[in-house]
Amino acid sequence: MKRSGVILTCLAVLGGCESSSHNQIVPTQQGESKAAQQVRQLAQLSQELDTMTDVEYVNPGFISYQHNKQIANYAGQIALELSDSLSGVAPSAVAITSFVSFDNSLRRSNQLGNQLAESMIHQFQKMGYPALDFKSHRGIAVTANGDFILSRNAKQLPKKPAPSHVLTGTMIYRDRGVEINTRLLNFDSRLVVASSNIVIPYFILDSQATASY
């Protein structure tokens, strides 16, 4: 197909040259007509094309600066992997904690870690596993700024019901993305009943998402 296109292009060029330049001297064999000249030249060109090597096409891979991925998409992937590895266990109340940086303290989180935890609540509910929001009061605080039921003051939060399982995860910063290791633990025995491992590429994340605080 490529060679045919080149030949057709050359034929057009030869025709154009014939109509526009009668003064050029073209070496010919004695008694050879102009039509025979073109046929002979095309035959020579065809032989030269047969000896040419095609340029190899190299796939550059996936290159994009725009995407439609969201953290919720990766939270859904984590939930699916956890569900696949969860066999013979039926959690009755799952407490989901912040994902933390894999360092010496295991107490540092960031926007990504907290957003993953929030998304996992929704994803677990979609898959039929009850999530326990341990940051909620038994009552509603009515104030001039709004009506609230969530709090980060541990002394104000009820101790019961206790979760049957706890979901937690760590974040490891690799060269091309953040490796997310997630595990579901039995709250009493601390045994791992399900686990997941995914990588979120850096180009998916906001520049401030991985800043620790």
Side-chain angles (χ1 to χ4, degrees), residues 99-103 107-114 116 169-181 198-202 205-213:
F99 288 62
V100 297
S101 298
F102 190 67
D103 56 16
R107 287 298 183 92
R108 292 194 304 167
S109 188
N110 52 28
Q111 176 184 330
L112 174 60
N114 287 318
L116 278 172
T170 59
M171 301 177 293
I172 304 175
Y173 303 96
R174 303 296 190 188
D175 293 338
R176 297 185 179 181
V178 184
E179 180 180 345
I180 307 295
N181 294 291
I198 68 167
V199 175
I200 303 179
Y202 284 123
L205 303 172
D206 183 82
S207 58
Q208 298 299 318
T210 57
S212 297
Y213 54 85

Side-chain angles (χ1 to χ4, degrees), residues 112-190:
L112 174 60
N114 287 318
Q115 190 173 350
L116 278 172
E118 287 295 311
S119 296
M120 289 304 302
I121 295 176
H122 172 62
Q123 296 298 332
F124 258 50
Q125 287 294 112
K126 282 176 59 177
M127 302 192 70
Y129 300 114
L132 176 66
D133 196 338
F134 52 87
K135 296 188 293 294
S136 61
H137 288 281
R138 288 191 182 277
I140 300 174
V142 180
T143 72
N145 295 324
D147 308 322
F148 307 100
I149 195 173
L150 300 178
S151 174
R152 291 192 183 276
N153 188 339
K155 295 180 179 179
Q156 297 178 356
L157 300 177
K159 303 299 182 183
K160 294 183 180 181
S164 63
H165 294 78
V166 176
L167 186 145
T168 186
T170 59
M171 301 177 293
I172 304 175
Y173 303 96
R174 303 296 190 188
D175 293 338
R176 297 185 179 181
V178 184
E179 180 180 345
I180 307 295
N181 294 291
T182 311
R183 45 193 172 271
L184 184 65
L185 309 173
N186 183 291
F187 186 68
D188 293 325
S189 66
R190 303 298 191 269

